[in-house]
Amino acid sequence: MKLKGLNGRLAFAIAAAALGSSFQHGYNTGVVNAPQQLIEDWISELKANRTNVPTSQSEVTLIWSVAVSIFCVGGMIGGSLVGWVADRFGRKGGLMLNNVLVLLTVVFEGSAKAAKSYEMIIFGRFLIGINSGLNAGLAPMYLAEISPVHLRGAVGTVYQLVITISILVSQILGLEQILGTVEQWPLLLCLTIVPAIFQVCTLPLCPESPKYLLLSRGKDMDAQRALTWLRGTIEVHDEMEEMRAEYESMKLIPKVTLRELFVNPALRIPLFISIMIMFAQQLSGINAVMFFSTKIFTMAQLDKNAAQNATMGVGAMNVLMTIVSLVLVEKAGRKTLLLVGFGGMFLDTALLTICLIFAETSRVAAYFSIVLVIMFVVLFATGPGSIPWFLVSELFNQSARPPATSVAIAVNWTANFIVSIGFLPLQDAIGAYVFIIFAILQAFFTIFIYKKVPETKNKTMEEISSMFRQISYQ
């Protein structure tokens, strides 16, 4: 892979934007897994002290599921605000402001135990959800707009890479030997402030997205200055000309509204593809597998510690494969990786269902299910994990990008919410057969990608837009 165009400054801007933002998304997704029992016991005791009546397990479970899933509700709200924030404050400005929510979260979650209020944890999770929803739109948008065309996919994958790393970090810190203890769990929740401090210190040193400066604000000189900084060279003439051409063609079209996205066929097709890809990512069953992994490993007769370690192994595998996809995405292309990912996950899930049914009685089936869980994560990380985040930024031109991103991110969090609320009841009702539902969905998404998703590798925004205009006239 040629790394032409990647220099120290661009790498610094990528780190400043991605580390501070997607770390919140991943860390707060994974952080509640390990200390679940500790926090549930604390809620149970707290509620009993308030009412002087012993708390039933079902009440505690309800409070806990609200605390876990309200993160997704916040994400939906944050996601739907992306377009407005990106236009109003800019990509960089929006990311900077978003850190205020992290500070508030830490205040609420950190003092919940001292204040004897589990409601404060729920409110904190809601705030960090809004923060993560905004980050999920703003960071990939900023990354897509500052990177050269031939690195756009690789840079876009960084967002998902940081998510996988931060999930792994949250799992490690949540171990009993580290912070997963009765005294330390509030600190575990508060560590989410660290990436925010990093971003507040580094991002002001980076420029705003040159595309935003020129195309949304009409500031030609500022855009050129920003681009020169990012490329580390004054030879940015061709890229500026490309942006100016996009700016001129944009002046002819009125500003894209939410209604326009659904009415105009040249925008409706890429919007439909974006929505489906976001649904595909969340309904692929990855959250269920990640959530269920410790349980699957326990079913495979691993003891509690071994099961936890195996779960860490899955997390580490996820990080490793996302790094591999970073290289592959510019070589193999987006569509190929999505097809390999979803097609492979379909076969994998079908086999996993069979193995889980026999896992109780057969050691072989139990060990096979461990292998299949790891394979599932490998396949997810090859493409379905990272590509949806930046594909939306690639399918739309500057004027349509913010509203389209809003819709796509809100859809992603809604699907995430559906899975996190619906998976456990379904699993209780039908056991291992729950994975058949995921297998059917994966098969459907594989066919959809094959038929409908275009390849955007090495294409400029203009080429991608004209491709959809042609399709819409047919």
Side-chain angles (χ1 to χ4, degrees):
M1 180 170 125
K2 351 175 252 217
L3 283 178
K4 188 170 114 330
L6 185 66
N7 58 63
R9 286 177 174 183
L10 179 62
F12 181 78
I14 293 166
L19 275 176
S21 52
S22 55
F23 206 95
Q24 308 294 359
H25 187 160
Y27 188 80
N28 289 289
T29 302
V31 76
V32 286
N33 254 352
Q36 176 176 353
Q37 200 51 55
L38 300 171
I39 303 178
E40 279 189 5
D41 294 346
W42 171 72
I43 293 172
S44 168
E45 195 181 320
L46 193 65
K47 211 162 161 21
N49 287 343
R50 280 186 196 177
T51 54
N52 291 328
V53 181
T55 321
S56 71
Q57 183 54 44
S58 59
E59 283 177 83
V60 177
T61 308
L62 180 68
I63 294 170
W64 178 250
S65 351
V66 170
V68 172
S69 53
I70 198 144
F71 178 64
C72 298
V73 178
M76 291 179 221
I77 296 169
S80 48
L81 293 172
V82 167
W84 178 78
V85 172
D87 273 341
R88 178 89 177 64
F89 302 105
R91 284 49 163 159
K92 171 184 153 184
L95 284 169
M96 289 295 297
L97 272 175
N98 203 8
N99 287 306
V100 174
L101 289 170
V102 184
L103 184 66
L104 289 172
T105 300
V106 170
V107 171
F108 277 99
E109 292 188 352
S111 46
K113 192 176 180 189
K116 297 192 167 45
S117 157
Y118 59 77
E119 292 84 357
M120 285 171 78
I121 286 193
I122 294 176
F123 189 63
R125 296 269 309 156
F126 175 64
L127 289 177
I128 200 71
I130 299 176
N131 165 281
S132 300
L134 278 163
N135 278 332
L138 292 169
M141 204 186 294
Y142 181 73
L143 293 173
E145 289 177 10
I146 64 171
S147 49
V149 171
H150 65 280
L151 291 178
R152 215 171 42 209
V155 174
T157 305
V158 171
Y159 186 81
Q160 177 68 15
L161 176 63
V162 178
I163 290 183
T164 58
I165 293 171
S166 54
I167 290 177
L168 184 61
V169 168
S170 74
Q171 287 175 334
I172 294 169
L173 291 174
L175 288 172
E176 283 166 41
Q177 302 90 310
I178 306 175
L179 292 175
T181 62
V182 178
E183 296 80 35
Q184 303 281 14
W185 66 256
L187 176 61
L188 182 66
L189 300 180
C190 287
L191 282 178
T192 194
I193 190 83
V194 177
I197 295 170
F198 169 79
Q199 188 170 62
V200 171
C201 296
T202 53
L203 199 57
L205 304 173
C206 308
E208 178 54 90
S209 143
K211 284 208 151 169
Y212 170 76
L213 291 170
L214 177 63
L215 285 79
S216 302
R217 288 282 173 267
K219 297 179 175 172
D220 193 296
M221 280 313 294
D222 289 0
Q224 187 153 358
R225 233 176 269 128
L227 195 61
T228 305
W229 188 93
L230 287 163
R231 297 292 173 263
T233 167
I234 47 174
E235 292 164 21
V236 291
H237 180 76
D238 295 351
E239 235 179 311
M240 280 304 293
E241 281 311 306
E242 225 169 79
M243 277 173 15
R244 288 184 189 121
E246 196 181 331
Y247 183 47
E248 290 308 316
S249 66
M250 255 177 59
K251 282 192 203 160
L252 309 173
I253 349 168
K255 199 157 172 43
V256 176
T257 57
L258 209 58
R259 184 176 167 274
E260 174 94 349
L261 279 178
F262 289 94
V263 180
N264 176 346
L267 294 173
R268 192 173 57 224
I269 299 166
L271 182 72
F272 179 58
I273 291 172
S274 304
I275 289 175
M276 289 299 283
I277 291 294
M278 287 301 189
F279 266 128
Q281 186 197 48
Q282 290 298 340
L283 299 179
S284 65
I286 183 66
N287 284 355
V289 166
M290 287 303 237
F291 194 81
F292 197 54
S293 57
T294 313
K295 213 166 190 175
I296 294 175
F297 296 142
T298 322
M299 275 167 61
Q301 274 94 32
L302 293 178
D303 64 28
K304 185 168 166 264
N305 272 352
Q308 261 189 343
N309 293 341
T311 303
M312 302 271 167
V314 169
M317 200 68 206
N318 199 357
V319 174
L320 187 71
M321 283 312 297
T322 308
I323 297 173
V324 173
S325 89
L326 195 101
V327 180
L328 286 179
V329 75
E330 295 302 354
K331 284 211 159 103
R334 286 52 160 165
K335 185 170 182 166
T336 316
L337 289 186
L338 285 171
L339 282 172
V340 169
F342 281 106
M345 274 151 60
F346 162 67
L347 293 172
D348 188 278
T349 312
L351 289 169
L352 181 63
T353 315
I354 300 165
C355 287
L356 285 177
I357 294 166
F358 296 111
E360 300 289 332
T361 48
S362 148
R363 286 306 291 264
V364 178
Y367 283 126
F368 253 115
S369 13
I370 298 179
V371 175
L372 288 167
V373 167
I374 293 170
M375 260 322 286
F376 186 95
V377 172
V378 167
L379 288 160
F380 178 78
T382 348
S386 50
I387 293 171
W389 295 117
F390 66 86
L391 192 67
V392 185
S393 292
E394 291 196 328
L395 294 179
F396 292 93
N397 63 17
Q398 192 71 15
S399 54
R401 195 173 297 133
T405 305
S406 272
V407 174
I409 300 292
V411 164
N412 186 290
W413 284 92
T414 309
N416 188 343
F417 179 70
I418 294 168
V419 174
S420 65
I421 281 285
F423 176 70
L424 286 173
L426 263 175
Q427 185 224 320
D428 286 343
I430 57 177
Y433 292 103
V434 68
F435 284 104
I436 293 177
I437 301 171
F438 291 123
I440 293 167
L441 286 167
Q442 289 152 1
F444 167 72
F445 290 128
T446 309
I447 296 164
F448 175 83
I449 291 162
Y450 181 69
K451 295 265 191 219
K452 296 287 181 198
V453 176
E455 182 53 77
T456 53
K457 184 178 81 163
N458 288 338
K459 288 193 168 75
T460 63
M461 293 297 165
E462 212 26 67
E463 290 167 340
I464 294 167
S465 298
S466 64
M467 180 167 62
F468 285 121
R469 284 199 292 274
Q470 279 169 344
I471 298 172
S472 65
Y473 292 138
Q474 284 164 15

